[in-house]
Amino acid sequence: MTGIVIREDEAGGVLVVTLAGRVDSNASTELETRLIGRVAARDTRLVLDLQGVEYISSAGLRVFLRLLNKVREAEGDLVLCSMAESVREVFELAGFMSIFAVEGSRALALARLSAAS
Amino acid sequence: MASPDERPPALGELPAYALDARLSGMVELTTQLLDAERCSILLYDEDTSELYTRAAVGPPRGTRFPSGQGIAGAVFTSGQAVNIADAQADPRFSPDLDRQTGSRTRNLLCVPIRRFRDGVPEVVGVVEVVNKRAGAFTDADLKLLETLNSRAGSAFVDAVLHGEAEKAQTDEGQLLELTAAMSRELQLEPLLLKIIATVTQLLGAERATLFMHDPGTDELSVLVGQDERVSELRFPARAGIAGHVFATGETVDIPDAYADPRFNPEIDRRTGFRTRSVLCAPVVNRKGETIAVIEVLNKTTGTFTALDEKRLQAFTAQASMALDRAHLFEAFLEKERIESSLRLAHDIQMGMLPKEFPASSRFELAAHLTPARSVGGDFYDFLQDGDRLFFVIGDVSGKGVAAALFMAVTKALFRATVQTESSLSAVLGKVNRELCRDNERAMFVTAFAGWLDAGSGEVVFGNAGHVPPYHVGRDGAVAPVAAGHGLAMGVLPDYEYRAASLRLRPGEALFLCTDGVLEAHDARNEQFGPGRLVDRLASTAAVPAADVVRGVAAAVTEFAKGVRQFDDITLMFVRYGGAAGPPGAG
């Protein structure tokens, strides 16, 4: 179990969270606490950079879904970016590509957020 | 008040009256046999590197002095016996000691006392015989003393050892008695209180404080109050005397706390207690990490002594073991809590799954679920209503009790809805809306549901974010069914599920599974994957449904042998037999 690495950066009023590793049941508890905590602390404009994520389980998807709900409640924005093919497949299978804003790169994700504001 | 002179020696202390009696007997005998004025047994104090008088006839030559000083010091250091005919002329002689005792040393014999520790001889002290009453000591006298010493010496060594053992037993006995109650305490918080009460009593102090280190915040936390009320205070791990001891690992003895710049009067302020003297030691665990600091406050008889320091150190070793046990016990309880919640989840999950499968000439259905140890939220169900067979397979996000409960709700919703709604998209829509209600945790479930018309072989189905099933032809052709794919349920309440349909010809089947099947991996981290599954399904045309399901489940288990199963493995097989019965029958 290598677990997950979570890094946070600020980019022009947007919180960019970079994830690396396996987003599975083990990692999802920590990830959920961190991310939901950020939204509660009024960080409601977020980019989730998934470039380093090699695997995501349904428990991981649930965390993203809950985050999306929280961000929407707070009238914020969430954009995912840089998904590996295997991660994209998991999102597609669950039908999640239609409910998440997904961009190919971090730059595109940030651009989408600044266009939305 | 303890003065430096009352500082207890390392050897044979405490109620070693028996030892004292034997040593006194020995010096008296020696004095008589050698016709001397005085005789002393001087022992070495490891802690201070001094020789001190343990037993004496006549005024001893100094009660305590550096172990290299004087003739006794020279004998102790060299291990060589001496017969000094004119002590005053000997350069090693210390006239100071004569001045202190007010007597004049003319001649003396001095021999080392040896004992064997782990087979190695070790000088532990000296016997000094002073002033032959008539004339000078002879070589015969020296020989006699050496003989006495070696014979009595063994007795002496025995006595010393006995005394040490006695002391150890007394100390240990007291420590054990006091710590026994403490050691039986496995729950952390009561244990902390017992440690405090025990050490307070052990050292004759007014109060004790145990600072536990919290590695998460790098703080020292304190349970304050010795009576009924207990509250917790927190400090940075480097603050105050406790912080100093935590950082350095040193034991510190502070006679006047308020005169010490490290003293943090915060706790006094909050508790109304007045700290005078402080003895503070680290509690180190088996890995050598400092896990806590014990502060003992206000020795009732004044200030703490070196013996108190030693006893506190012995005590912290006991406390450390008790804390280790308590931590292990907490971990065990936590594990038990998890295990019992997993058993609950497992029971919820397995208790809800039908184990009897419908048998009909027109269709066959079988299903199987192997739960993961951590229990996922997989399920399957079916319901026969005349010519129609409803079937569903699902997988709830996450694991454990939450997933099992969500699975139970989902399955119940499907059961209820299937009996009231006439279209599959309406069934999926209604179940979804219910699942979205009050779903704060954003649980979701993927499912594949279908209605088989046993008259025509038509299957109307919907896929809510689930792994596509496989169509298994009579010729062994296996193909995924990608149609009708929509969003997982529990996500968007207004989502519209679109049903799709296909027609099974007699002998054709649908194989449904959860991702636990495809993602099962072996020791080399290779996945079972669709390839192996399709191969396996290709040769099932003549195999009964129950055996197909059992065979695939066994193949997955065999493939992933030796690897912990992370996800539920669930599969279902539905074969159409034809309007008039199974192929070959009509």
Side-chain angles (χ1 to χ4, degrees):
Chain A
M1 228 31 37
T2 47
I4 189 174
V5 180
I6 307 171
R7 210 188 73 208
E8 297 177 24
D9 298 290
E10 181 76 25
V14 174
L15 180 65
V16 180
V17 181
T18 311
L19 303 180
R22 295 171 61 84
V23 187
D24 54 17
S25 304
N26 295 325
S28 64
T29 310
E30 185 195 350
L31 185 63
E32 183 167 13
T33 310
R34 276 279 276 277
L35 293 180
I36 302 300
R38 288 292 173 266
V39 178
R42 309 300 309 154
D43 275 319
T44 56
R45 291 159 54 73
L46 287 97
V47 168
L48 245 60
D49 189 328
L50 307 182
Q51 188 158 26
V53 175
E54 57 202 57
Y55 171 82
I56 182 162
S57 74
S58 66
L61 284 184
R62 186 189 67 75
V63 173
F64 289 178
L65 188 59
R66 182 154 181 245
L67 177 67
L68 181 66
N69 291 345
K70 292 284 172 193
V71 166
R72 283 186 179 155
E73 275 169 28
E75 296 179 344
D77 270 301
L78 170 67
V79 181
L80 311 185
C81 71
S82 314
M83 281 182 187
E85 191 51 36
S86 60
V87 171
R88 177 181 284 269
E89 279 170 13
V90 174
F91 271 79
E92 269 169 1
L93 185 61
F96 280 19
M97 290 304 277
S98 63
I99 58 165
F100 281 95
V102 180
E103 291 292 344
S105 71
R106 180 184 291 211
L108 287 171
L110 287 168
R112 181 159 175 170
L113 271 182
S114 57
S117 60
Chain B
M1 286 290 283
S3 74
D5 281 351
E6 285 164 5
R7 229 175 147 277
L11 284 173
E13 196 41 38
L14 272 131
Y17 305 116
L19 173 63
D20 283 340
R22 289 176 73 174
L23 292 179
S24 299
M26 280 168 56
V27 287
E28 268 174 39
L29 180 68
T30 306
T31 313
Q32 283 174 21
L33 284 173
L34 292 177
D35 193 28
E37 287 175 15
R38 312 197 301 263
C39 174
S40 329
I41 288 175
L42 295 139
L43 292 185
Y44 180 58
D45 182 349
E46 285 176 354
D47 287 338
T48 59
S49 303
E50 288 172 312
L51 288 171
Y52 68 99
T53 303
R54 190 65 177 73
V57 168
R61 297 193 69 256
T63 52
R64 206 166 245 290
F65 52 88
S67 63
Q69 189 184 330
I71 292 170
V75 171
F76 174 76
T77 307
S78 67
Q80 299 292 316
V82 292
N83 179 359
I84 313 277
D86 185 356
Q88 303 289 334
D90 194 286
R92 298 165 296 188
F93 181 74
S94 299
D96 282 353
L97 296 178
D98 268 5
R99 249 171 261 132
Q100 279 172 28
T101 54
S103 63
R104 185 178 164 82
T105 301
R106 290 180 280 112
N107 48 36
L108 63 84
L109 290 176
C110 189
V111 299
I113 300 165
R114 288 193 176 83
R115 73 160 179 193
F116 287 82
R117 186 182 274 180
D118 301 324
V120 179
E122 179 187 29
V123 179
V124 294
V126 298
V127 182
E128 207 174 40
V129 186
V130 177
N131 293 354
K132 181 90 174 171
R133 287 185 192 278
F137 290 111
T138 61
D139 284 344
D141 287 334
L142 183 62
K143 201 149 265 165
L144 179 61
L145 179 59
E146 281 185 309
T147 310
L148 272 176
N149 187 40
S150 64
R151 189 175 300 164
S154 66
F156 166 78
V157 167
D158 282 349
V160 169
L161 289 177
H162 175 68
E164 276 193 337
E166 207 167 55
K167 168 190 178 290
Q169 270 166 15
T170 310
D171 254 9
E172 192 110 303
Q174 198 173 1
L175 196 61
L176 274 182
E177 192 182 318
L178 284 169
T179 56
M182 176 180 93
S183 301
R184 278 194 297 273
E185 186 55 65
L186 286 171
Q187 312 247 11
L188 197 56
E189 192 164 307
L191 172 65
L192 299 182
L193 296 176
K194 275 200 177 139
I195 287 175
I196 290 167
T198 306
V199 76
T200 307
Q201 193 188 345
L202 191 68
L203 297 190
E206 285 178 11
R207 189 171 280 203
T209 312
L210 181 66
F211 299 78
M212 293 299 297
H213 181 239
D214 179 345
T217 59
D218 198 25
E219 285 176 319
L220 294 175
S221 71
V222 196
L223 290 177
V224 180
Q226 288 185 301
D227 311 320
E228 302 303 306
R229 288 185 319 114
V230 175
S231 59
E232 192 192 59
L233 302 178
R234 289 182 158 265
F235 303 92
R238 307 291 179 266
I241 292 168
H244 172 81
V245 169
F246 178 78
T248 61
E250 290 169 4
T251 297
V252 299
D253 178 3
I254 296 167
D256 180 5
Y258 278 84
D260 192 295
R262 294 167 300 192
F263 178 65
N264 175 9
E266 180 63 20
I267 299 179
D268 272 12
R269 256 203 303 279
R270 295 209 206 173
T271 58
F273 182 78
R274 175 78 188 181
T275 302
R276 296 190 312 273
S277 54
V278 179
L279 184 62
C280 186
V283 180
V284 180
N285 70 7
R286 280 172 305 178
K287 292 181 216 150
E289 300 155 344
T290 301
I291 54 168
V293 169
I294 294 182
E295 250 185 30
V296 193
L297 308 175
N298 297 2
K299 175 95 175 168
T300 49
T301 56
T303 52
F304 293 100
T305 64
L307 180 63
D308 289 331
E309 213 170 289
K310 277 184 198 161
R311 301 181 101 195
L312 180 58
Q313 281 162 358
F315 173 79
T316 60
Q318 294 288 325
S320 168
M321 284 188 277
L323 286 169
D324 268 354
R325 274 193 297 273
H327 285 306
L328 281 175
F329 185 65
E330 297 247 317
F332 169 76
L333 285 184
E334 180 58 24
K335 193 162 165 281
E336 275 293 291
R337 277 193 286 273
I338 292 169
E339 295 276 323
S340 85
S341 86
L342 286 179
R343 274 195 296 276
L344 176 64
H346 176 266
D347 293 350
I348 292 170
Q349 186 182 32
M350 296 310 283
M352 291 201 69
L353 300 174
K355 311 290 188 305
E356 303 269 315
F357 300 105
S360 153
S361 60
R362 301 201 288 180
F363 59 82
E364 278 184 283
L365 183 148
H368 173 88
L369 190 155
T370 310
R373 213 184 80 84
S374 48
V375 183
D378 280 12
F379 70 96
Y380 62 78
D381 199 10
F382 51 85
L383 203 66
Q384 192 182 355
D385 177 19
D387 264 0
R388 294 213 302 177
L389 174 70
F390 172 78
F391 57 90
V392 62
I393 188 168
D395 181 356
V396 174
S397 56
K399 292 181 166 58
V401 176
L405 288 172
F406 204 76
M407 163 264 174
V409 169
T410 307
K411 184 174 163 292
L413 283 172
F414 265 113
R415 280 235 151 190
T417 314
V418 161
Q419 296 174 65
T420 58
E421 297 296 322
S422 55
S423 83
L424 196 69
S425 37
V427 169
L428 291 171
K430 197 163 179 183
V431 171
N432 176 53
R433 261 190 306 283
E434 288 300 320
L435 290 177
C436 287
R437 209 189 289 260
D438 305 319
N439 184 9
E440 205 280 328
R441 278 175 49 81
M443 304 282 289
F444 66 89
V445 55
T446 71
F448 185 96
W451 245 317
L452 168 68
D453 182 329
S456 64
E458 187 185 39
V459 180
V460 178
F461 61 89
N463 186 336
H466 198 76
V467 184
Y470 289 90
H471 177 272
V472 184
R474 291 191 64 182
D475 56 356
V478 179
V481 179
H485 201 97
L487 180 64
M489 293 193 289
V491 180
L492 289 181
D494 299 327
Y495 189 82
E496 286 193 21
Y497 291 91
R498 299 220 178 109
S501 71
L502 59 80
R503 187 174 292 268
L504 293 177
R505 289 175 294 170
E508 290 182 345
L510 282 179
F511 175 85
L512 302 80
C513 66
T514 57
D515 53 12
V517 173
L518 298 169
E519 290 179 8
H521 58 268
D522 64 9
R524 292 166 304 160
N525 214 23
E526 194 168 320
Q527 290 197 345
F528 189 74
R532 285 185 182 78
L533 181 60
V534 167
D535 284 352
R536 188 89 208 168
L537 293 173
S539 54
T540 54
V543 182
D547 293 342
V548 172
V549 163
R550 263 197 293 274
V552 176
V556 174
T557 305
E558 174 64 27
F559 175 79
K561 199 161 71 181
V563 178
R564 196 179 142 184
Q565 185 190 332
F566 280 103
D567 205 354
D568 290 348
I569 290 171
T570 308
L571 28 100
M572 185 183 248
F573 192 75
V574 187
R575 182 186 278 140
Y576 179 53

